[in-house]
Amino acid sequence: MLAIISAMSEELEPILEAMDTYEAINYASNTYYKAKYKGVDLILAYSKIGKVFSTLTATTMIEKFGATKLLFSGVAGAVNSDLNIGDLIYATKLAQHDLDITIFGHPNGYVPEGSVYVDSDDKLNNVAKDVASDLGLKLKAGIIATGDQFIASSEKKDWIEKTFNADALEMEGASVGVVCTSLEVPFFILRAISDAADMDAGFNFDEFLDSSAKVSAEFILKMIEKID
Ligand code: ADE
């Protein structure tokens, strides 16, 4: 079973709308959708924003609904200046930028028995590359940093870039990645840029959330058809 997870209703809605059929199931204070799209069985949900809710939803999709592969669709703030609003990026690896026990001599993003980065699945990333080349779309591969903060400051953004070599930032990817890695479920994190995580980020996010969420959703729909 393939799972599609987003953080916000605006991110999931364009995917849900495209389904041939779906059934809503309430569980653990959230709504999960068992859906069919072009003959493929799917489980869909938006988690709500942040690492805790996305951890709960990804775990539930795997442990309760039997997800064996997971794709994330949503928006992100650009860190790399090559990325403009509406551009697509998938994560090759992800880190938690707000995980900090550096006082004990550990690097940012690291806790004992964990790792700074979690790696996404090469096979799913290759499916994305194929879809991009089939459709003639620009798709960047890069490092995504995740934290429980909406970043709207060039200084904070620069720190995240320098510390994690990040290309984009958001609030759920790394936590979903940790869940999937721990439970041995291949995962893919796709984001379309909604803002540049700078002083205009709040305004730009409000303006471009819907259009960028659609860019990501449409790409994910194409991927579903190519995943076995
Ligand atoms: N998702 C989209 N833009 C973001 C930002 N600036 N900070 C955190 N998450 C985001």
Side-chain angles (χ1 to χ4, degrees):
M1 170 94 79
L2 180 61
I4 316 278
I5 178 171
S6 293
M8 302 174 72
S9 61
E10 291 87 343
E11 294 169 323
L12 190 69
E13 204 55 44
I15 297 172
L16 205 49
E17 273 174 16
M19 294 296 111
D20 299 321
T21 59
Y22 66 80
E23 169 202 356
I25 297 161
N26 291 321
Y27 182 77
S29 305
N30 203 1
T31 307
Y32 292 82
Y33 301 91
K34 276 191 175 175
K36 242 190 198 305
Y37 179 67
K38 303 201 173 177
V40 181
D41 286 316
L42 298 161
I43 183 79
L44 316 178
Y46 70 90
S47 60
K48 300 185 279 293
I49 294 167
K51 293 194 295 180
V52 172
F53 285 125
S54 57
T55 297
L56 171 63
T57 301
T59 306
T60 301
M61 287 172 136
I62 296 165
E63 291 291 318
K64 181 173 173 62
F65 293 102
T68 50
K69 284 178 188 152
L70 188 147
L71 314 180
F72 192 107
S73 180
V75 301
V79 174
N80 188 322
S81 54
D82 289 352
L83 286 167
N84 298 308
I85 285 166
D87 285 355
L88 283 165
I89 175 168
Y90 72 87
T92 52
K93 54 183 186 171
L94 306 100
Q96 297 180 61
H97 68 69
D98 58 350
L99 186 55
D100 182 349
I101 57 164
T102 54
I103 190 82
F104 300 106
H106 296 298
N108 284 104
Y110 180 84
V111 291
E113 298 179 45
S115 60
V116 174
Y117 295 101
V118 64
D119 293 325
S120 59
D121 183 65
D122 286 339
K123 278 195 204 143
L124 291 173
N125 294 343
N126 284 335
V127 172
K129 283 189 235 168
D130 288 349
V131 166
S133 80
D134 285 357
L135 300 178
L137 290 173
K138 198 174 111 195
L139 173 67
K140 186 175 175 60
I143 296 174
I144 292 185
T146 301
D148 281 328
Q149 297 157 3
F150 185 87
I151 305 295
S153 144
S154 295
E155 275 129 58
K156 185 84 213 215
K157 172 170 82 160
D158 291 347
W159 180 84
I160 290 169
E161 179 171 34
K162 162 173 113 243
T163 308
F164 296 97
N165 201 17
D167 296 292
L169 56 83
E170 35 82 311
M171 303 178 70
E172 299 83 18
S175 41
V176 168
V178 168
V179 168
C180 290
T181 302
S182 303
L183 295 172
E184 298 181 3
V185 168
F187 73 96
F188 173 77
I189 309 285
L190 182 70
R191 298 282 184 168
I193 299 302
S194 57
D195 59 83
D198 55 10
M199 62 187 283
D200 299 322
F203 177 82
N204 287 336
F205 180 87
D206 279 344
E207 186 167 354
F208 296 109
L209 167 62
D210 286 348
S211 56
S212 294
K214 268 198 197 106
V215 170
S216 177
E218 276 162 22
F219 194 95
I220 289 284
L221 288 168
K222 294 284 180 207
M223 281 183 72
I224 294 170
E225 297 175 43
K226 291 217 168 210
I227 294 169
D228 36 66

